[in-house]
Amino acid sequence: MTAPAIVLVAAGPDEPAVSETLHTISASLQASRPDLRISLARLGDGKPALTDVIAGLVSRDVAEAVLIPLDLTSAATHPTTLDGIIHSPDIHLAVARPVGPATEVLNILDERVREALHRGGALEIDGLVLAAPQGGDVRGASLLARRARQWAAHHRLPVQLAVDDGTGRATASAISSLRSQGRRHIAVGSLFLTPSGSYQAHAQAALRAGAIAVTAPIGDSPHLRQLILARYAFGAMELLDGTPTQLPVDDLDSDDG
């Protein structure tokens, strides 16, 4: 029996830059794992629609698939629209946990910060902002706060968390808070998956507020691919067991101060 297929499920606007980034992530994952069948599906108005992707898998006699939400701010819940799809009589489906704000995203943000500082010719920073779009679940919000603390401890710098509503106001407010503490060389780490309109508004607001560097979206990354494959492994185990299981969430047991 072949391994279950992977379906990367992404929300967000149907914009060319967003679609290009998502297709790059999917193609890169496929290149790294040619033994797996990997598809990209979009929720909302994006194409290809998830129902069409599932129908395509069924037409190719694929028996099982794991749906992986490409959501960086939710830790345990998935879009409710998936609930009506996973009970298909024609294919056995499981929904993995979202990618979420896992510890590994800090490695990606570090890489993106270095790239942004290099582009801007900056030599040092004395403050950081960890910015993410709003819309995650309660556990995701808790983990985001923890990631901000971990990032601060790792770099020994103050880190301000900003959960942005798509206008950039939260990012600008976080930068202003650091500047009021005397910080003048502030870099912004953007926990946005794609260069959506919300990301653009956040980045522009950050620069207007005085940030010396704003990272590019997460986009394609070896760390992201590893996270996706880890979510897939647990989802495939659920299919193997044949019964729903409570998949573990990073750092669920305790929270640091």
Side-chain angles (χ1 to χ4, degrees):
M1 185 175 180
T2 58
I6 294 177
V7 180
L8 304 177
V9 182
D14 190 19
E15 300 170 355
V18 172
S19 297
E20 181 180 355
T21 299
L22 292 172
H23 282 289
T24 298
I25 292 170
S26 177
S28 180
L29 183 62
Q30 183 67 81
S32 69
R33 288 298 303 267
D35 57 311
L36 298 175
R37 185 190 296 271
I38 296 167
S39 303
L40 171 67
R42 304 291 301 278
L43 299 178
D45 297 329
K47 303 294 182 183
L50 178 58
T51 51
D52 293 338
V53 171
I54 298 301
L57 292 175
V58 171
S59 71
R60 293 191 290 275
D61 297 322
V62 175
E64 298 178 323
V66 178
L67 312 183
I68 304 176
L70 295 181
D71 179 351
L72 298 179
T73 58
S74 295
T77 60
H78 57 258
T80 56
T81 52
L82 299 185
D83 293 330
I85 293 174
I86 60 176
H87 301 295
S88 169
D90 302 314
I91 185 172
H92 195 187
L93 301 172
V95 182
R97 285 193 292 111
V99 173
T103 306
E104 289 84 352
V105 300
L106 296 181
N107 296 323
I108 305 175
L109 287 177
D110 280 339
E111 293 174 356
R112 299 291 182 262
V113 167
R114 287 193 292 268
E115 293 166 359
L117 291 173
H118 179 73
R119 287 196 304 270
L123 298 177
E124 62 177 297
I125 57 176
D126 57 11
L128 286 163
V129 172
L130 174 56
Q134 69 177 15
D137 57 22
V138 173
R139 187 56 197 169
S142 176
L143 289 178
L144 273 175
R146 178 178 296 186
R147 299 302 167 243
R149 293 192 294 271
Q150 290 174 328
W151 215 24
H154 177 69
H155 291 290
R156 299 181 180 178
L157 291 172
V159 174
Q160 196 79 20
L161 177 63
V163 180
D164 218 291
D165 63 359
T167 65
R169 285 193 293 262
T171 299
S173 177
I175 293 170
S176 296
S177 177
L178 288 171
R179 290 179 67 85
S180 71
Q181 301 170 32
R183 308 291 170 167
R184 293 294 178 265
H185 306 285
I186 301 166
V188 178
S190 308
L191 196 60
F192 290 73
L193 183 64
T194 66
S196 61
S198 294
Y199 165 80
Q200 300 294 347
H202 137 84
Q204 291 165 10
L207 293 173
R208 287 195 300 269
I212 64 168
V214 182
T215 69
I218 296 297
D220 182 39
S221 163
H223 295 293
L224 179 64
R225 293 196 293 271
Q226 290 169 8
L227 282 170
I228 290 171
L229 291 173
R231 301 295 182 262
Y232 168 72
F234 279 108
M237 287 175 59
E238 183 179 359
L239 287 172
L240 183 64
D241 292 342
T243 56
T245 57
Q246 180 62 48
L247 303 182
V249 177
D250 297 294
D251 304 324
L252 265 180
D253 295 334
S254 62
D255 199 358
D256 49 344

